[in-house]
């Protein structure tokens, strides 16, 4: 079987490959844990040490490919639709705040474990505070979306994250009890601007620069291979994250907490994807723009959220469960959308 045939096979059935990666992670997590632990050294950014890990390199590959696949005609068109970027960023910020506030009130009235309510609140606060996921560009690229819009959403949310992330933690701190308000305030001290600039912004700019110097024939011939690389990297990233998250979540055996957390995080994820669809209808976007907006609003950089949680919240392991579930759900929803869009194109 040729590489092009393999690329088409994975592209066509990416959702099922993704589900398979999660199932493998549950029964054979060791390779995924090894991937997470591979370190290639450290560098200093703004007087802070940052580890060069295999996971970060894979994230950079996704962003480089997104920049390489960017059509400049789409970028020019995006500059004429600044309102669309603003609307998408506003929805990505406001909808989680409103949703989580409503769920917190409902759980306080109905749920019998107030500490679990706080764990879910803080976990979802970490989800909401993170910038839009770089992997959303890979999903957009694989689904023939508008890469300019996808990259624009990732760039803007990343650049604004040093301001928006602490502000979001402060807002959710007002909803939390005294102990967990202090937890959220402590999270704001962990900045990620340099980290995101190195692994998200810079690789994207490098991809754009490379596209400027290669001819159009290579761009056309190379696109199926870029999609194959994106698909493989996406599957490996999700398998690695699931290797940590799924065994840990199942080991707790607190099935009512797990079920409630899964239901609430799924509701938030679906609300954000639906908001992307609703905005695309409101602004009368074409299919490519609709796909990118849905992926952008529905997918957050939960890898960074898990890193922050592991650094600052080691005493509260259950706080990681909502982040874990949202990371799994967002890729399953993205894979479902990809599957539906692929069938429509047949």
């Amino acid at each position: 079987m040729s590489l092009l045939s393999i690329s088409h096979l994975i592209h066509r059935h990416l959702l099922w490959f993704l589900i398979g990666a999660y199932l493998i992670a549950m029964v054979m997590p060791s390779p995924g844990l090894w991937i997470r632990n591979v370190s290639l050294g450290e560098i200093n950014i703004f007087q802070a040490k940052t580890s060069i890990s295999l996971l970060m390199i894979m994230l950079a590959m996704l962003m480089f490919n997104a920049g390489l696949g960017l059509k400049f005609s789409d970028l020019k068109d995006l500059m004429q639709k600044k309102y669309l970027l603003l609307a998408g960023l506003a929805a990505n910020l406001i909808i989680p705040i409103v949703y989580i506030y409503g769920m917190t009130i409902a759980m306080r009235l109905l749920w019998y474990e107030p500490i679990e309510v706080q764990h879910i609140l803080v976990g979802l606060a970490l989800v909401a505070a993170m910038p839009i996921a770089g992997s959303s560009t890979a999903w957009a690229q694989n689904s023939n979306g508008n890469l300019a819009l996808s990259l624009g959403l990732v760039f803007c949310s990343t650049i604004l994250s040093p301001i928006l992330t602490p502000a979001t933690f402060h807002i959710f701190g007002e909803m939390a009890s005294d102990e967990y308000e202090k937890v959220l305030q402590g999270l704001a001290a962990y900045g990620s601007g340099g980290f995101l600039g190195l692994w998200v912004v810079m690789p994207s700019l490098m991809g754009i620069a490379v596209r400027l110097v290669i001819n159009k024939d290579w761009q056309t011939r190379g696109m199926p291979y870029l999609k194959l690389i994106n698909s493989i990297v996406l599957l490996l990233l999700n398998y690695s994250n699931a290797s940590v998250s799924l065994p840990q979540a199942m080991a707790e055996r607190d099935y009512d907490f797990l079920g409630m957390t899964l239901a609430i995080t799924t509701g938030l994820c679906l609300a954000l994807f639906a908001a992307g669809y609703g905005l695309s209808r409101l602004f009368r976007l074409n299919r490519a723009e609709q796909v990118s907006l849905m992926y952008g609003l529905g997918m957050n950089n939960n890898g960074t959220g898990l890193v922050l949680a592991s650094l600052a919240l080691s005493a509260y392991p259950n706080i990681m469960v909502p982040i874990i579930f949202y990371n799994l759900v967002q890729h399953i929803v993205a894979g479902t959308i990809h599957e539906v869009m692929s069938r429509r194109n047949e």
Side-chain angles (χ1 to χ4, degrees):
M1 183 179 289
S2 67
L3 283 177
L4 285 178
S5 299
I6 295 172
S7 177
H8 178 73
L9 176 66
I10 297 178
H11 178 77
R12 176 70 176 75
H13 301 290
L14 190 56
L15 173 61
W16 301 109
F17 279 101
L18 183 66
I19 293 172
Y22 291 150
L23 293 175
I24 293 171
M26 292 179 66
V27 299
M28 194 171 60
S30 297
L33 296 176
W34 177 84
I35 291 173
R36 292 185 65 86
N37 292 328
V38 173
S39 177
L40 303 176
E42 293 182 338
I43 57 174
N44 289 319
I45 303 177
F46 303 123
Q47 298 180 343
K49 287 186 177 181
T50 299
S51 175
I52 304 175
S53 68
L54 184 56
L55 287 179
M56 295 302 99
I57 291 174
M58 287 194 288
L59 173 61
M61 287 175 62
L62 291 180
M63 300 311 301
F64 177 84
N65 285 346
L68 189 59
L70 178 64
K71 295 180 181 179
F72 290 99
S73 58
D74 291 339
L75 186 60
K76 182 179 178 180
D77 183 54
L78 181 63
M79 293 298 101
Q80 300 173 355
K81 296 182 178 180
K82 299 182 182 67
Y83 60 86
L84 181 57
L85 275 177
L86 292 174
L89 292 170
N92 186 254
L93 178 66
I94 294 170
I95 290 175
I97 293 174
V98 174
Y99 177 90
I100 296 168
Y101 177 70
M103 287 294 102
T104 300
I105 293 175
M107 285 189 296
R108 283 174 177 170
L109 294 174
L110 301 174
W111 198 244
Y112 57 88
E113 286 286 354
I115 294 179
E116 292 183 348
V117 173
Q118 298 300 310
H119 289 163
I120 294 174
L121 168 61
V122 176
L124 291 180
L126 269 161
V127 171
M130 293 300 103
I132 292 171
S135 58
S136 66
T137 62
W139 283 109
Q141 192 169 26
N142 286 349
S143 300
N144 300 314
N146 184 312
L147 271 178
L149 176 56
S150 186
L151 273 172
L153 289 167
V154 174
F155 272 178
C156 292
S157 64
T158 299
I159 291 169
L160 293 172
S161 62
I163 298 171
L164 295 181
T165 295
T168 304
F169 284 142
H170 176 74
I171 291 170
F172 285 112
E174 296 297 318
M175 305 179 195
S177 64
D178 291 341
E179 177 184 356
Y180 291 91
E181 181 179 5
K182 293 178 181 178
V183 168
L184 286 166
Q185 290 173 351
L187 284 171
Y190 286 83
S192 57
F195 165 84
L196 293 169
L198 177 65
W199 300 110
V200 175
V201 177
M202 189 181 297
S204 301
L205 294 176
M206 291 174 63
I208 293 171
V210 170
R211 187 181 178 95
L212 288 172
V213 299
I214 60 176
N215 60 57
K216 292 185 179 179
D217 290 339
W218 190 95
Q219 294 171 16
T220 302
R221 293 196 305 268
M223 188 56 64
Y225 299 102
L226 285 183
K227 289 185 176 182
L228 175 60
I229 293 170
N230 280 342
S231 298
I232 292 172
V233 173
L234 269 176
L235 291 170
L236 285 174
L237 281 171
N238 279 279
Y239 165 67
S240 181
N241 284 330
S243 296
V244 175
S245 60
L246 285 181
Q248 177 180 324
M250 296 306 296
E252 294 290 332
R253 296 186 181 276
D254 189 354
Y255 296 120
D256 55 351
F257 170 69
L258 293 175
M260 176 64 70
T261 305
L262 179 60
I264 292 173
T265 53
T266 300
L268 175 58
C269 187
L270 292 176
L272 284 166
F273 273 97
Y277 177 79
L279 282 176
S280 70
R281 300 284 290 181
L282 178 65
F283 291 116
R284 298 180 180 179
L285 304 181
N286 60 40
R287 179 195 169 278
E289 292 170 330
Q290 179 189 86
V291 167
S292 292
L293 193 59
M294 291 174 68
Y295 287 141
L297 264 64
M299 304 188 75
N300 281 9
N301 192 340
N302 296 306
T304 303
L306 283 170
V307 171
L308 289 176
S310 64
L311 288 173
L313 305 174
S314 58
Y316 305 94
N318 280 345
I319 286 177
M320 285 202 281
V321 174
I323 310 170
I324 289 164
F325 281 168
Y326 194 95
N327 190 58
L328 300 180
V329 170
Q330 72 178 6
H331 283 286
I332 289 176
V333 175
T336 302
I337 292 172
H338 172 77
E339 186 82 6
V340 171
M341 292 297 180
S342 297
R343 291 184 182 278
R344 286 182 180 178
N345 288 335
E346 292 180 349

